Amino acid sequence: SRRKAIVEPVFGQIMTCHPVTPPTAVAPVHGAASGARPPRRRRLRNIALVAVLAALIGGGTAVVLQKWDAGRRHDAGPSASTPPPTSPGPSPTRTGAAGATGDLPDGWVRRDDPYGFSIAVPDASWRRENANQKLHQVDYTPDGGKHLIRIAVDDSPDFPTAYDHQIDLEQQLQRLVDYKRVTLQANTFRDCSGSRWEYTWTALGKDTAFPGPRRAIEETYFSRGGVEYAIYMSAPVEDWATTRQQFKTVLQSWRPSSG
């Protein structure tokens, strides 16, 4: 069942979210669940966080890429080894203050993504790029990644909570130049267990087409169906006031296919 934009989701049957768990020590789940589960896909961690690490830290990049997904196109922009996306593009639906649904600000456009979710982007210039079917990860950007929305879907999460997953990623991102945590805190998103992470770093000119101070924010949560969703935005620090406000609308517009 799909969630409706802005308002609380409606489901055909009663399901229970993963309980909201206070911050705990980071530890992936190994054999904790009984019964058969689908094969666990080796994911990039599904979000720009590790991609940022691989693309922007410079030293140690080869090790990170080998562990997560060699040859991927990252937050910094296209790489020569990455072919253009072959998956079908999403169907845009334009809405606004006087639009058909009235659930989006004026000028925003809804994208129905082939990976099984629907989301709104600030305007029609935000295009679907860098889709990865294996990782179920996709970017929306108006300018090749300088401003970026990244969505990841993981139906076999490795960590017991979204907070644990973000803590694990932060340990890797400590290598980013000038990395600084703004916030990382367990929360509740759509009545489900989640975690919000916001941080800053400095992107280097030798590693990216968009050097300089950057900021990012991510909401990760577990759906009622046990799927882990990550919703991420990144932009130059000087544009952050706009990006932060856009992120609120992106979250309000979010409609997953699974709980």
Side-chain angles (χ1 to χ4, degrees):
S1 302
R2 291 187 180 273
R3 296 172 179 271
K4 295 186 179 296
I6 300 179
V7 299
E8 292 299 320
V10 178
F11 299 90
Q13 55 183 336
I14 297 176
M15 292 181 284
T16 303
C17 287
H18 290 249
V20 177
T21 305
T24 58
V26 178
V29 176
H30 295 291
S34 60
R37 297 184 66 181
R40 183 166 283 153
R41 286 194 294 266
R42 180 174 171 271
R43 295 271 166 85
L44 176 65
R45 150 37 178 140
N46 307 338
I47 207 62
L49 314 173
V50 170
V52 166
L53 174 64
L56 303 180
I57 63 173
T61 298
V63 174
V64 176
L65 288 176
Q66 183 178 23
K67 179 178 180 182
W68 293 103
D69 192 29
R72 273 189 48 76
R73 174 182 171 185
H74 302 303
D75 193 335
S79 70
S81 61
T82 306
T86 57
S87 57
S91 302
T93 303
R94 186 179 297 274
T95 62
T101 62
D103 64 347
L104 299 178
D106 186 47
W108 282 66
V109 177
R110 179 166 294 281
R111 306 289 190 184
D112 296 317
D113 195 273
Y115 289 166
F117 63 85
S118 176
I119 199 167
V121 296
D123 59 60
S125 69
W126 288 68
R127 301 293 184 179
R128 188 178 195 264
E129 297 184 6
N130 194 21
N132 189 304
Q133 180 67 40
K134 180 179 179 181
L135 302 178
H136 281 198
Q137 176 177 290
V138 65
D139 297 346
Y140 285 88
T141 176
D143 49 20
K146 184 177 182 179
H147 300 81
L148 177 75
I149 299 171
R150 178 165 289 173
I151 307 297
V153 182
D154 191 346
D155 57 15
S156 299
D158 291 324
F159 290 84
T161 69
Y163 177 86
D164 289 333
H165 203 164
Q166 289 181 342
I167 286 291
D168 179 75
L169 285 167
E170 184 183 49
Q171 291 173 356
Q172 300 174 59
L173 292 192
Q174 297 290 342
R175 298 168 65 186
L176 286 174
V177 176
D178 300 328
Y179 172 84
K180 182 179 180 181
R181 179 199 290 189
V182 177
T183 185
L184 201 169
Q185 185 174 8
N187 68 358
T188 300
F189 179 73
R190 301 288 182 90
D191 292 332
C192 290
S193 174
S195 187
R196 183 75 57 88
W197 181 16
E198 186 172 344
Y199 62 93
T200 62
W201 81 100
T202 300
L204 303 182
K206 68 183 181 67
D207 299 319
T208 174
F210 312 112
R214 292 185 65 86
R215 191 159 177 163
I217 188 168
E218 174 192 290
E219 176 67 43
T220 298
Y221 79 102
F222 283 77
S223 75
R224 288 171 171 80
V227 177
E228 183 184 39
Y229 292 102
I231 306 164
Y232 168 96
M233 284 194 75
S234 174
V237 166
E238 61 266 25
D239 299 333
W240 192 246
T242 298
T243 300
R244 191 67 171 79
Q245 188 62 40
Q246 289 172 340
F247 187 66
K248 294 179 181 179
T249 303
V250 168
L251 292 184
Q252 288 176 333
S253 74
W254 172 250
R255 296 179 183 175
S257 60
S258 175

PDB file of all heavy atoms in Angstrom, residues 77-94:
ATOM      1  N   GLY A  77      29.538  14.019  -9.701  1.00  0.00           N
ATOM      2  CA  GLY A  77      29.230  14.135 -11.118  1.00  0.00           C
ATOM      3  C   GLY A  77      29.561  12.863 -11.841  1.00  0.00           C
ATOM      4  O   GLY A  77      29.982  11.873 -11.260  1.00  0.00           O
ATOM      5  N   PRO A  78      29.410  12.831 -13.201  1.00  0.00           N
ATOM      6  CA  PRO A  78      29.585  11.617 -13.966  1.00  0.00           C
ATOM      7  C   PRO A  78      31.029  11.183 -14.039  1.00  0.00           C
ATOM      8  O   PRO A  78      31.941  11.985 -14.040  1.00  0.00           O
ATOM      9  CB  PRO A  78      29.061  11.990 -15.363  1.00  0.00           C
ATOM     10  CG  PRO A  78      29.197  13.471 -15.425  1.00  0.00           C
ATOM     11  CD  PRO A  78      29.012  13.966 -14.034  1.00  0.00           C
ATOM     12  N   SER A  79      31.245   9.874 -14.106  1.00  0.00           N
ATOM     13  CA  SER A  79      32.575   9.328 -14.348  1.00  0.00           C
ATOM     14  C   SER A  79      32.613   8.741 -15.738  1.00  0.00           C
ATOM     15  O   SER A  79      31.605   8.347 -16.301  1.00  0.00           O
ATOM     16  CB  SER A  79      32.908   8.238 -13.309  1.00  0.00           C
ATOM     17  OG  SER A  79      32.128   7.107 -13.534  1.00  0.00           O
ATOM     18  N   ALA A  80      33.825   8.623 -16.283  1.00  0.00           N
ATOM     19  CA  ALA A  80      33.953   8.187 -17.668  1.00  0.00           C
ATOM     20  C   ALA A  80      33.532   6.744 -17.851  1.00  0.00           C
ATOM     21  O   ALA A  80      33.141   6.342 -18.936  1.00  0.00           O
ATOM     22  CB  ALA A  80      35.410   8.359 -18.115  1.00  0.00           C
ATOM     23  N   SER A  81      33.605   5.952 -16.777  1.00  0.00           N
ATOM     24  CA  SER A  81      33.324   4.530 -16.915  1.00  0.00           C
ATOM     25  C   SER A  81      31.861   4.189 -16.739  1.00  0.00           C
ATOM     26  O   SER A  81      31.474   3.038 -16.850  1.00  0.00           O
ATOM     27  CB  SER A  81      34.142   3.734 -15.876  1.00  0.00           C
ATOM     28  OG  SER A  81      33.783   4.138 -14.585  1.00  0.00           O
ATOM     29  N   THR A  82      31.028   5.181 -16.423  1.00  0.00           N
ATOM     30  CA  THR A  82      29.623   4.910 -16.137  1.00  0.00           C
ATOM     31  C   THR A  82      28.767   5.179 -17.357  1.00  0.00           C
ATOM     32  O   THR A  82      28.738   6.292 -17.861  1.00  0.00           O
ATOM     33  CB  THR A  82      29.130   5.791 -14.983  1.00  0.00           C
ATOM     34  OG1 THR A  82      29.996   5.606 -13.868  1.00  0.00           O
ATOM     35  CG2 THR A  82      27.701   5.430 -14.611  1.00  0.00           C
ATOM     36  N   PRO A  83      28.044   4.159 -17.873  1.00  0.00           N
ATOM     37  CA  PRO A  83      27.180   4.390 -19.020  1.00  0.00           C
ATOM     38  C   PRO A  83      25.953   5.165 -18.616  1.00  0.00           C
ATOM     39  O   PRO A  83      25.590   5.223 -17.448  1.00  0.00           O
ATOM     40  CB  PRO A  83      26.795   2.960 -19.450  1.00  0.00           C
ATOM     41  CG  PRO A  83      26.882   2.172 -18.190  1.00  0.00           C
ATOM     42  CD  PRO A  83      27.993   2.777 -17.397  1.00  0.00           C
ATOM     43  N   PRO A  84      25.288   5.815 -19.565  1.00  0.00           N
ATOM     44  CA  PRO A  84      24.065   6.536 -19.229  1.00  0.00           C
ATOM     45  C   PRO A  84      22.993   5.593 -18.728  1.00  0.00           C
ATOM     46  O   PRO A  84      22.983   4.407 -19.081  1.00  0.00           O
ATOM     47  CB  PRO A  84      23.647   7.185 -20.560  1.00  0.00           C
ATOM     48  CG  PRO A  84      24.526   6.628 -21.613  1.00  0.00           C
ATOM     49  CD  PRO A  84      25.621   5.844 -20.968  1.00  0.00           C
ATOM     50  N   PRO A  85      22.101   6.068 -17.854  1.00  0.00           N
ATOM     51  CA  PRO A  85      21.062   5.194 -17.314  1.00  0.00           C
ATOM     52  C   PRO A  85      20.184   4.649 -18.417  1.00  0.00           C
ATOM     53  O   PRO A  85      19.835   5.329 -19.365  1.00  0.00           O
ATOM     54  CB  PRO A  85      20.272   6.115 -16.373  1.00  0.00           C
ATOM     55  CG  PRO A  85      20.617   7.497 -16.804  1.00  0.00           C
ATOM     56  CD  PRO A  85      21.997   7.436 -17.373  1.00  0.00           C
ATOM     57  N   THR A  86      19.837   3.364 -18.268  1.00  0.00           N
ATOM     58  CA  THR A  86      19.024   2.709 -19.281  1.00  0.00           C
ATOM     59  C   THR A  86      17.616   2.449 -18.813  1.00  0.00           C
ATOM     60  O   THR A  86      16.767   2.040 -19.587  1.00  0.00           O
ATOM     61  CB  THR A  86      19.668   1.366 -19.687  1.00  0.00           C
ATOM     62  OG1 THR A  86      19.821   0.557 -18.518  1.00  0.00           O
ATOM     63  CG2 THR A  86      21.044   1.596 -20.304  1.00  0.00           C
ATOM     64  N   SER A  87      17.370   2.657 -17.517  1.00  0.00           N
ATOM     65  CA  SER A  87      16.028   2.402 -17.005  1.00  0.00           C
ATOM     66  C   SER A  87      15.081   3.483 -17.484  1.00  0.00           C
ATOM     67  O   SER A  87      15.477   4.606 -17.747  1.00  0.00           O
ATOM     68  CB  SER A  87      16.053   2.364 -15.474  1.00  0.00           C
ATOM     69  OG  SER A  87      16.575   3.561 -14.983  1.00  0.00           O
ATOM     70  N   PRO A  88      13.801   3.164 -17.605  1.00  0.00           N
ATOM     71  CA  PRO A  88      12.840   4.164 -18.078  1.00  0.00           C
ATOM     72  C   PRO A  88      12.715   5.307 -17.109  1.00  0.00           C
ATOM     73  O   PRO A  88      12.816   5.141 -15.913  1.00  0.00           O
ATOM     74  CB  PRO A  88      11.534   3.368 -18.178  1.00  0.00           C
ATOM     75  CG  PRO A  88      11.714   2.224 -17.239  1.00  0.00           C
ATOM     76  CD  PRO A  88      13.175   1.878 -17.301  1.00  0.00           C
ATOM     77  N   GLY A  89      12.508   6.490 -17.628  1.00  0.00           N
ATOM     78  CA  GLY A  89      12.360   7.658 -16.780  1.00  0.00           C
ATOM     79  C   GLY A  89      11.014   7.672 -16.098  1.00  0.00           C
ATOM     80  O   GLY A  89      10.060   7.030 -16.536  1.00  0.00           O
ATOM     81  N   PRO A  90      10.920   8.418 -14.997  1.00  0.00           N
ATOM     82  CA  PRO A  90       9.658   8.493 -14.271  1.00  0.00           C
ATOM     83  C   PRO A  90       8.656   9.360 -15.008  1.00  0.00           C
ATOM     84  O   PRO A  90       9.005  10.150 -15.867  1.00  0.00           O
ATOM     85  CB  PRO A  90      10.068   9.121 -12.937  1.00  0.00           C
ATOM     86  CG  PRO A  90      11.261   9.950 -13.300  1.00  0.00           C
ATOM     87  CD  PRO A  90      11.972   9.195 -14.395  1.00  0.00           C
ATOM     88  N   SER A  91       7.423   9.203 -14.646  1.00  0.00           N
ATOM     89  CA  SER A  91       6.359   9.999 -15.247  1.00  0.00           C
ATOM     90  C   SER A  91       6.128  11.241 -14.406  1.00  0.00           C
ATOM     91  O   SER A  91       5.731  11.140 -13.247  1.00  0.00           O
ATOM     92  CB  SER A  91       5.061   9.188 -15.315  1.00  0.00           C
ATOM     93  OG  SER A  91       5.258   8.010 -16.049  1.00  0.00           O
ATOM     94  N   PRO A  92       6.385  12.445 -14.959  1.00  0.00           N
ATOM     95  CA  PRO A  92       6.167  13.651 -14.165  1.00  0.00           C
ATOM     96  C   PRO A  92       4.704  14.019 -14.098  1.00  0.00           C
ATOM     97  O   PRO A  92       3.953  13.844 -15.052  1.00  0.00           O
ATOM     98  CB  PRO A  92       6.959  14.714 -14.935  1.00  0.00           C
ATOM     99  CG  PRO A  92       6.938  14.234 -16.345  1.00  0.00           C
ATOM    100  CD  PRO A  92       6.920  12.727 -16.286  1.00  0.00           C
ATOM    101  N   THR A  93       4.288  14.520 -12.958  1.00  0.00           N
ATOM    102  CA  THR A  93       2.945  15.045 -12.787  1.00  0.00           C
ATOM    103  C   THR A  93       3.074  16.415 -12.156  1.00  0.00           C
ATOM    104  O   THR A  93       3.536  16.533 -11.026  1.00  0.00           O
ATOM    105  CB  THR A  93       2.100  14.127 -11.873  1.00  0.00           C
ATOM    106  OG1 THR A  93       2.080  12.825 -12.435  1.00  0.00           O
ATOM    107  CG2 THR A  93       0.687  14.671 -11.755  1.00  0.00           C
ATOM    108  N   ARG A  94       2.705  17.460 -12.867  1.00  0.00           N
ATOM    109  CA  ARG A  94       2.868  18.816 -12.364  1.00  0.00           C
ATOM    110  C   ARG A  94       1.666  19.184 -11.495  1.00  0.00           C
ATOM    111  O   ARG A  94       0.532  19.020 -11.890  1.00  0.00           O
ATOM    112  CB  ARG A  94       3.003  19.787 -13.528  1.00  0.00           C
ATOM    113  CG  ARG A  94       3.318  21.210 -13.077  1.00  0.00           C
ATOM    114  CD  ARG A  94       3.461  22.142 -14.269  1.00  0.00           C
ATOM    115  NE  ARG A  94       4.577  21.760 -15.101  1.00  0.00           N
ATOM    116  CZ  ARG A  94       5.823  22.155 -14.879  1.00  0.00           C
ATOM    117  NH1 ARG A  94       6.096  22.903 -13.839  1.00  0.00           N
ATOM    118  NH2 ARG A  94       6.793  21.778 -15.691  1.00  0.00           N
TER     119      ARG A  94
END
